[in-house]
Amino acid sequence: MKRFWILSGVLLTAACGGSAVNEGENYGDLLASPAGLVLTEAEHEVGWGVAECTLCHNLENIHLVNRTTLSIDVEAIHEQTLDEGLAGCATCHGTNGVP
């Protein structure tokens, strides 16, 4: 049992203090997909037709990294996402099959 606690302590200590960067959710360059930023059923099978995007997507964890080849202000887009909340999702990504 003593070995367990020593090993646990070593592993926990080794895991601390890293310089991990939260790169958020990664769906690649959406602009390169057939419909661009607008979601399609083929691309979003599991969530298609669901109006409550935050059931699967944490707004704090999206739009953190520019995955496009364009020069965009990803920080401003992230802030806009937080400000607008769910109301802003459809503006860029379409209705997700919700009437």
Side-chain angles (χ1 to χ4, degrees), residues 1 9 12 24 34 44 50 53 55-56 70 93-94:
M1 186 67 161
L12 285 173
H44 201 232
V50 178
C53 303
L55 289 175
C56 295
L70 303 176
H93 299 293

Side-chain angles (χ1 to χ4, degrees), residues 11-83:
L11 290 175
L12 285 173
T13 303
C16 294
S19 59
V21 175
N22 182 1
E23 293 188 356
E25 297 180 18
N26 183 355
Y27 302 102
D29 184 353
L30 293 181
L31 291 175
S33 67
L37 292 178
V38 176
L39 297 171
T40 66
E41 186 172 6
E43 295 171 323
H44 201 232
E45 292 177 23
V46 174
W48 188 255
V50 178
E52 182 69 36
C53 303
T54 56
L55 289 175
C56 295
H57 305 284
N58 178 344
L59 295 180
E60 292 283 349
N61 200 32
I62 59 174
H63 302 302
L64 297 178
V65 174
N66 179 8
R67 301 191 196 285
T68 72
T69 57
L70 303 176
S71 177
I72 59 174
D73 187 347
V74 73
E75 289 180 18
I77 295 169
H78 179 71
E79 287 302 316
Q80 180 180 352
T81 301
L82 296 178
D83 290 344

